[in-house]
Amino acid sequence: MHNKTKLLIFASLLLAACSTDPMQEIPNRGDSAPEIETSDKICNTSDDAVAGSLIVKFGEEAIPSLEQNALNAAKTRSALTRSGIESVDDILNDLHVTSLERVFPEAGEHEARTRAAGLHRWYVLGFASEEDLDKAAERLADVAEISKVQFRTRLYRASDCKTYPFQATANGQTRALVTADFNDPNLFWQWHYINNADQAVATTSVAGADINVADAWKLTAGNPEVIVAIVDEGVKYTHPDLAANMWINPNPSPEYKNQDIHGWNFAADGPISWGQKGDSGHGTHVAGTVAAVNNNGIGVCGVAGGTGKGDGVRLMSCQIFSGDLTGDALVSSRAVKYAADHGASILQCSWGIKAGIYTSDNMFIKQSPMDYEALQYFAAQKNCEALDGGLIIFSAGNESTAMSGYPAGYRDYISVTSFSPDYLPANYTNYGSGCNIAAPGGETSGLSGGEKAGVLSTLCSETSNGADYGYMQGTSMACPHVSGVAALGLSYALEKGKRYSLDEFKTMLLTSVNEIDSRLGEGSKATIADVSIYRGKMGTGITDAYQLLMQIEGTPCLRVALGEVQLIPLTQHFGQGAEDLTYTDIQMSAKDMEKLGIKAAPKMYNGKLMIKCTKPGSAKIKVSAIAGGTKPGTGVVMGGMVITKEFAVIARSAGAANGGWL
C-alpha cells in the first residue's frame, strides 16, 4: 500500500527535527535510563487477538537504525523485514518475520506532527500464524529498544447487525402525525426525528421521544465544511440518498493507489467496499442517520443532511470492517489517523471493546496504548473553524451492562446510550459508569410495531435483498444521532461566526438534553423487568438538536412538561430580583401557540412564567419587564427601562411529578 521510497526518504530528512513523544511513559534509553520489566511492556493479552501479527513501539533511539534499514530495503525494492538492530533482529529471525512496517505511513505535510505525537514509533510485524503469540510478545518485550508490545485485539460493532428492509406502505395516520418542511417520502417513519406517539410504530410510543430536530432544520440543516468520519463498515458512496453528501478527497494519495476518493478500506487495504459476504450495511445505515440527503424527494432524512441544495455535512468512509475481516486495533488506529489528517472534525464510532473488559481509563490507556494515542491525535486536530479540536463519539455498547464499553467509556470521549419510541431505555443498552448521553437506538422486537420501532436509515441493496432502506437497532444507531446533532451544532456555529474549545462544545452538547429520569420509576416494560435500574445512568438526558442550536445562538431554553400548568422561575435570566419585577408583555405567535397546543396565553404569575403545553415541540417566546420601578419611562414621566428576553420553549413529555411510573 505504501510508497516506501517516499516514506523513508522523507522520514530520514525529518530525523533531526523529531520531537519527543508527549505520551511517552519511559525516557529515551541511555546509560542512566531505568530498565523496564518485560511484563510491563506487554500491554494486553492475546485473548481474541489477530494471529501472526504483533504491534510494537520502539524507543526513539532505535528509530534511526530502523529508518536507515528501511531506506536500504527500498533501494533494492525489497520488503523491510529486519530492524538493523542486532538484539531485535535475532528475534525477528527466529520468528521468521516476513514484514515490518510503520503502523502509520509517512504523512506528507502532517509528518512533523505525526512524529511529535510519537506515532512514527509504532510498527507492525507479520509472521506465520502458527507462531505462539504470547511467546513472541515475551521475547520482543525482553529487548531494550522496544518499549511496548500490543496484541491486535478484535473490535465489534455495537449492533446485532440484523437488518429489516423497509417496505413502503400507505399509512394516512402516520403521515398526518408528522409535519416537516422536507419532502423525503419516508420521513414520517423516522420516529427518532419526530415522534408524535404514532401507534403504528408502537402502542407505547410517547410524543417527544425523539431528538427534536424539525425546528432545528429551520435554522440549519448542515454545512459541507463539517466532515464526519464514519469509522465502520464501508459507506455505499453510490447510494442515491448519500452520494451528494459524500466527502471527496481533493488530493488522492499514491499511498492509497490514488483510490481514496471518499475514504479507504483499512481492513482490506483497498478501496471502500460494501457488498461482500459478511457485510451488513452497518456503516451505510450509520452514515444515513448522520447525513442522508434531505429534501431530495426520495427515501429518508439525515440529521445533518442539508436542505437538498448541496449544503449537508460531508461523510468520510474510514472502513474498519470488511466482509469477514473483523476490525482490530491496527486497522481502527490507522482509520482514526487518516480521518485526522484528511479534515474530519467528528469521529463517528459505533463499535468498541465489550463492556467489562476495561473498567477504568488507566486500564484502557495501559492495555490499548496505540488506540489511545491515535484517538488523542485526532482530538488534537483543528479541522473545523468552529471547533478547536476533534470531537470523538462512541456507542456505549449492547451488553445490557451497567458500564460503558471502551473506548466509549474514556472520560474525554462521548459515550451514547439508547432508548426506544416508548421514551424508555432499550433492553440491550449499556448504562451507568462512563455513559454520557442518550439517543434513539430503537428496539426491533418487543414493541407492537416490530421492526418499525427500530431506526430507519439507508442500507446497501446488495446485502439487504435489494432494499436501499431499512431498520436496525443498537447503540450503533443511537451514536450517529449524537454525531449528527453535533454536526448541526458546528454548522450553525460556522454560520454565526462562533468558535469553541473542545471542552466548551462538549459541555453544550451534553447539556442540550431532555430529561428521561422522571420516567424511570418503579415499573417495567415488555422487554425490561425493572426500568428503575437505569435511573441516573443514561447520561445527562436525551440529545436535543434544537436546544444545542439555541445554546450556540445564545437563546436560553425553558423546558416545559406536557399536560401540566408550569410555573417557571426566571431568576437565572432576569436576575435574583426576578420575582419582584413588573412584567409588561409576553409575546408568542398564534402559530407557535397552536404548535405547542397552548390554549391559554402564557402569563406571569407571582414572578413566574405560567404556561401549559399539550403538544411536544419548540417555539420562541419574548418576555418584557421594567428595570427600575413599576412603570416605563416616557417623554413626560420618569420611569424604568423596558428590558426584553427571548427564550426557546422546549415542550416534552415527562414522568409523573413524584417520579412514579406512567
Side-chain angles (χ1 to χ4, degrees):
M1 177 180 86
H2 314 311
N3 185 329
K4 287 189 171 132
T5 302
K6 175 183 173 186
L7 184 161
L8 296 165
I9 292 174
F10 189 84
S12 64
L13 293 174
L14 282 173
L15 279 176
C18 291
S19 302
T20 301
D21 177 3
M23 286 175 277
Q24 183 180 356
E25 298 174 6
I26 307 152
N28 290 342
R29 184 171 175 251
D31 294 338
S32 59
E35 290 296 324
I36 309 161
E37 292 293 331
T38 298
S39 58
D40 291 337
K41 292 183 181 181
I42 300 176
C43 304
N44 54 348
T45 72
S46 59
D47 294 343
D48 202 21
V50 176
S53 184
L54 281 171
I55 301 164
V56 298
K57 187 175 188 180
F58 284 95
E60 190 64 67
E61 78 284 354
I63 298 302
S65 294
L66 267 166
E67 294 184 343
Q68 183 59 55
N69 224 38
L71 279 171
N72 295 337
K75 288 176 183 177
T76 59
R77 298 187 178 183
S78 57
L80 178 66
T81 61
R82 299 297 180 264
S83 68
I85 304 167
E86 184 177 356
S87 57
V88 175
D89 288 344
D90 286 344
I91 300 171
L92 302 187
N93 285 327
D94 291 346
L95 293 176
H96 306 292
V97 166
T98 56
S99 64
L100 174 65
E101 65 174 332
R102 263 178 58 167
V103 168
F104 306 103
E106 182 273 317
E109 63 180 307
H110 305 304
E111 179 66 7
R113 73 186 191 189
T114 300
R115 301 175 84 86
L119 296 182
H120 66 299
R121 292 166 48 197
W122 287 101
Y123 278 72
V124 57
L125 287 66
F127 43 84
S129 58
E130 294 79 19
E131 291 285 349
D132 186 305
L133 278 179
D134 289 303
K135 289 181 180 178
E138 287 172 7
R139 291 202 63 192
L140 289 165
D142 201 35
V143 296
E145 289 80 5
I146 291 176
S147 63
K148 294 182 189 297
V149 181
Q150 183 175 341
F151 296 100
R152 293 176 55 181
T153 306
R154 290 183 173 85
L155 303 169
Y156 295 92
R157 305 164 184 85
S159 168
D160 59 14
C161 289
K162 293 180 181 177
T163 61
Y164 301 84
F166 174 74
Q167 310 238 340
T169 56
N171 188 307
Q173 178 196 23
T174 302
R175 286 184 182 275
L177 282 170
V178 174
T179 58
D181 295 335
F182 296 154
N183 62 10
D184 307 80
N186 300 316
L187 170 60
F188 64 88
W189 284 115
Q190 293 181 287
W191 61 267
H192 31 105
Y193 298 161
I194 306 170
N195 190 342
N196 284 325
D198 185 2
Q199 299 297 289
V201 171
T203 55
T204 52
S205 288
V206 174
D210 54 38
I211 65 169
N212 195 22
V213 74
D215 287 318
W217 282 335
K218 295 175 182 177
L219 301 173
T220 185
N223 186 312
E225 293 181 38
V226 178
I227 301 171
V228 182
I230 308 297
V231 185
D232 208 294
E233 284 187 19
V235 176
K236 183 178 179 178
Y237 53 78
T238 59
H239 194 290
D241 228 358
L242 295 175
N245 282 346
M246 290 303 300
W247 169 74
I248 298 175
N249 188 353
N251 298 299
S253 172
E255 296 163 18
Y256 302 101
K257 305 165 189 167
N258 295 317
Q259 295 180 10
D260 57 328
I261 309 300
H262 303 293
W264 189 251
N265 183 342
F266 294 91
D269 192 15
I272 298 164
S273 63
W274 55 80
Q276 301 178 42
K277 181 182 178 182
D279 288 334
S280 68
H282 189 275
T284 298
H285 195 277
V286 163
T289 297
V290 175
V293 182
N294 296 335
N295 207 35
N296 61 348
I298 62 170
V300 297
C301 284
V303 179
T307 63
K309 300 177 182 178
D311 54 351
V313 304
R314 293 300 181 250
L315 300 164
M316 177 191 293
S317 182
C318 297
Q319 187 172 357
I320 64 169
F321 301 102
S322 182
D324 293 326
L325 297 174
T326 302
D328 65 78
L330 174 74
V331 170
S332 64
S333 294
R334 281 177 166 168
V336 169
K337 175 70 161 52
Y338 181 94
D341 286 345
H342 288 80
S345 52
I346 297 174
L347 202 66
Q348 155 57 42
C349 306
S350 287
W351 49 270
I353 297 169
K354 294 180 179 180
I357 294 177
Y358 294 159
T359 57
S360 72
D361 290 356
N362 288 344
M363 184 181 290
F364 167 62
I365 294 171
K366 182 181 185 303
Q367 297 190 22
S368 295
M370 186 180 67
D371 316 49
Y372 170 73
E373 291 184 23
L375 288 165
Q376 292 301 96
Y377 179 86
F378 181 89
Q381 306 317 317
K382 302 175 182 179
N383 290 330
C384 176
E385 286 297 319
L387 187 63
D388 288 335
L391 185 64
I392 299 171
I393 305 176
F394 274 91
S395 50
N398 299 337
E399 293 83 51
S400 307
T401 301
M403 67 177 66
S404 175
Y406 270 86
Y410 184 71
R411 60 185 177 272
D412 289 338
Y413 315 149
I414 292 174
S415 174
V416 184
T417 62
S418 175
F419 70 91
S420 304
D422 56 8
Y423 220 134
L424 295 172
N427 61 55
Y428 52 77
T429 188
N430 288 346
Y431 57 99
S433 298
C435 298
N436 303 121
I437 195 169
E443 229 170 325
T444 54
S445 61
L447 298 178
S448 62
E451 73 274 6
K452 294 182 182 65
V455 168
L456 177 61
S457 186
T458 47
L459 279 179
C460 302
S461 56
E462 295 85 351
T463 58
S464 56
N465 297 320
D468 284 326
Y469 304 93
Y471 299 92
M472 296 183 81
Q473 70 168 14
T475 56
S476 273
M477 284 61 250
C479 186
H481 283 86
V482 177
S483 293
V485 169
L488 278 184
L490 291 181
S491 298
Y492 201 47
L494 286 172
E495 292 174 26
K496 294 293 183 180
K498 303 280 186 77
R499 188 180 185 98
Y500 301 99
S501 72
L502 192 54
D503 286 342
E504 285 172 334
F505 190 80
K506 285 189 289 188
T507 297
M508 290 195 300
L509 180 62
L510 295 178
T511 56
S512 297
V513 295
N514 292 304
E515 68 88 32
I516 190 173
D517 281 352
S518 64
R519 302 193 61 79
L520 305 179
E522 297 298 326
S524 64
K525 64 182 250 184
T527 56
I528 298 175
D530 181 10
V531 297
S532 68
I533 64 172
Y534 298 92
R535 195 167 210 175
K537 298 177 181 178
M538 291 290 286
T540 53
I542 292 172
T543 190
D544 186 305
Y546 185 74
Q547 286 190 48
L548 178 59
L549 300 195
M550 289 301 98
Q551 286 211 51
I552 289 167
E553 189 177 276
T555 301
C557 293
L558 302 176
R559 296 171 180 84
V560 179
L562 291 182
E564 303 173 3
V565 175
Q566 302 281 294
L567 287 172
I568 304 174
L570 300 181
T571 306
Q572 68 182 98
H573 310 295
F574 279 96
Q576 290 300 312
E579 293 189 14
D580 298 322
L581 292 178
T582 298
Y583 292 88
T584 61
D585 190 29
I586 297 178
Q587 297 178 33
M588 192 175 205
S589 71
K591 182 179 179 181
D592 280 348
M593 287 178 60
E594 181 181 359
K595 182 169 72 169
L596 298 185
I598 298 174
K599 303 280 175 46
K603 64 180 183 180
M604 296 302 298
Y605 179 79
N606 288 341
K608 297 181 177 66
L609 177 65
M610 179 184 286
I611 188 170
K612 181 179 179 180
C613 301
T614 60
K615 298 178 182 177
S618 307
K620 293 282 187 71
I621 188 172
K622 289 182 179 180
V623 179
S624 297
I626 298 172
T630 59
K631 295 180 181 180
T634 68
V636 296
V637 177
M638 183 183 295
M641 179 188 297
V642 176
I643 55 176
T644 301
K645 287 266 192 177
E646 185 175 46
F647 304 95
V649 175
I650 314 291
R652 281 292 181 271
S653 294
N658 64 0
W661 172 252
L662 293 179

